[in-house]
């Protein structure tokens, strides 16, 4: 079994378990007054489970076409960029720890800026514009459209 088929099989198993929990475990705990609602808290997990099962099954049934070079060459493991991967993992940890003290806007902006630097981007104007627009846009969608409170400013400002 190739690597992509093994990953697709693993994702299929995870989606089957996720779908089972959405249909049978989450739906069993729905209060009676929500039983007639068109959208339940388990609706989005059901959609995700069905989509994941569909696409992983699609990968499993597509005919195998051997490639000249494998996806993961074990003889060249020392040539991969481990520094970038470890740097991004450390940055994600720092983002999670600094989200409350710095606020959503500053921590997300810094996360996107430093992340693009780690990945090799060196054009400052597009980095600043993309990080700023993405930070403010995501905050606006979550805060104003969805109505979920996100602390936009650092905790010391009391916002």
């Amino acid at each position: 079994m190739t690597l992509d088929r093994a990953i697709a099989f693993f994702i299929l198993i995870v989606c089957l378990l996720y779908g089972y929990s959405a249909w049978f475990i989450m739906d069993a705990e729905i209060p009676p007054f929500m039983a007639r609602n068109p959208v339940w808290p388990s609706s989005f997990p059901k959609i995700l489970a069905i989509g994941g099962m569909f696409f992983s099954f699609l990968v499993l049934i597509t005919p195998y076409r051997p490639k000249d070079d494998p996806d993961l060459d074990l003889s060249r493991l020392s040539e991969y960029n481990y520094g970038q991967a470890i740097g991004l993992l450390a940055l994600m940890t720092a983002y999670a720890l600094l989200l409350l003290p710095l606020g959503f806007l500053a921590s997300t902006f810094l996360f996107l800026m430093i992340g693009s630097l780690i990945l090799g981007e060196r054009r400052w104007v597009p980095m600043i514009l993309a990080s700023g627009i993405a930070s403010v846009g995501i905050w606006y969608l979550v805060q104003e459209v969805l109505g979920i409170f996100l602390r936009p400013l650092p905790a010391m400002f009391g916002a």
Side-chain angles (χ1 to χ4, degrees), residues 35-117:
R36 294 186 184 258
N37 286 352
V39 178
W40 292 0
S42 64
S43 296
F44 190 63
K46 289 176 185 175
I47 293 169
L48 286 177
I50 290 171
M53 285 186 274
F54 173 75
F55 286 113
S56 59
F57 188 69
L58 193 66
V59 170
L60 288 173
I61 65 170
T62 51
Y64 175 68
R65 294 187 196 116
K67 299 176 188 174
D68 293 335
D69 59 335
D71 293 333
L72 184 63
D73 189 1
L74 296 177
S75 65
R76 296 177 38 206
L77 278 179
S78 63
E79 297 176 18
Y80 294 125
N81 292 331
Y82 294 112
Q84 286 181 338
I86 292 170
L88 285 175
L89 287 172
L91 184 63
M92 285 188 266
T93 305
Y95 175 72
L97 293 174
L98 294 174
L99 193 57
L100 188 62
L102 285 183
F104 181 81
L105 293 176
S107 58
T108 304
F109 180 81
L110 289 173
F111 172 76
L112 293 174
M113 285 289 295
I114 297 170
S116 57
L117 281 172

Side-chain angles (χ1 to χ4, degrees), residues 106-147:
S107 58
T108 304
F109 180 81
L110 289 173
F111 172 76
L112 293 174
M113 285 289 295
I114 297 170
S116 57
L117 281 172
I118 289 173
L119 292 175
E121 180 62 48
R122 297 294 181 255
R123 295 177 296 172
W124 289 96
V125 173
M127 280 188 341
I128 292 171
L129 285 174
S131 299
I133 291 171
S135 300
V136 172
I138 293 169
W139 173 81
Y140 179 79
L141 284 174
V142 172
Q143 173 83 24
E144 302 300 325
V145 176
L146 294 177

Side-chain angles (χ1 to χ4, degrees), residues 12-30 38 40-54:
L12 179 66
I13 298 298
V14 169
C15 288
L16 285 170
L17 293 172
Y18 190 60
Y20 176 81
S21 68
W23 255 284
F24 297 107
I25 296 172
M26 288 178 73
D27 285 354
E29 297 174 1
I30 298 243
W40 292 0
S42 64
S43 296
F44 190 63
K46 289 176 185 175
I47 293 169
L48 286 177
I50 290 171
M53 285 186 274
F54 173 75

